[in-house]
Amino acid sequence: MHLSESRFLHLFRSELGINFRGYLLWKRLQDVIDILDSPTTLTKLASDMGFSDLAHFSRTCLSSSGLRPSQLKRALIIDNNDIMCGKHYCLYSVFQALHT
């Protein structure tokens, strides 16, 4: 790309309205949400997706969605049949239910 790191970071923020580090945290969180239906523990999922520990993942999840990871996982379970959609569009109904 022939850009210095500082120039890239400046352009990224000016074009997208979010800093690069914030974007990476958001992307990691979305990746975890996509696989919340796996039987893997939240600690392992967080570690596999690049969070330093479960506390870091929990803080990011709470600040981004207003839910703790365990609450988010339960909120994505539909019809109490332990069926999870595991996709971002399911979050819309979760947030609608929480904020109405």
Side-chain angles (χ1 to χ4, degrees):
M1 290 178 54
H2 304 289
L3 293 173
S4 68
E5 180 181 348
S6 63
R7 183 66 181 149
F8 170 77
L9 295 174
H10 173 77
L11 290 172
F12 190 92
R13 182 170 180 89
S14 68
E15 291 296 317
L16 298 178
I18 184 173
N19 66 31
F20 190 67
R21 186 167 185 239
Y23 168 78
L24 289 178
L25 282 175
W26 173 82
K27 180 66 175 133
R28 285 184 195 143
L29 184 60
Q30 298 307 307
D31 291 344
V32 172
I33 288 170
D34 276 341
I35 58 172
L36 268 177
D37 58 343
S38 74
T40 308
T41 65
L42 289 174
T43 303
K44 178 82 170 115
L45 287 175
S47 175
D48 290 349
M49 291 300 157
F51 289 95
S52 56
D53 56 24
L54 185 58
H56 179 219
F57 172 54
S58 293
R59 281 191 310 272
T60 302
C61 189
L62 190 58
S63 68
S64 296
S65 68
L67 296 171
R68 289 180 174 79
S70 58
Q71 292 171 313
L72 185 59
K73 186 170 184 166
R74 277 192 303 262
L76 289 173
I77 296 174
I78 50 178
D79 295 331
N80 296 324
N81 291 328
D82 292 337
I83 300 169
M84 292 188 64
C85 64
K87 299 295 176 195
H88 304 294
Y89 60 82
C90 292
L91 292 177
Y92 177 76
S93 59
V94 169
F95 293 128
Q96 286 295 331
L98 288 172
H99 300 292
T100 54

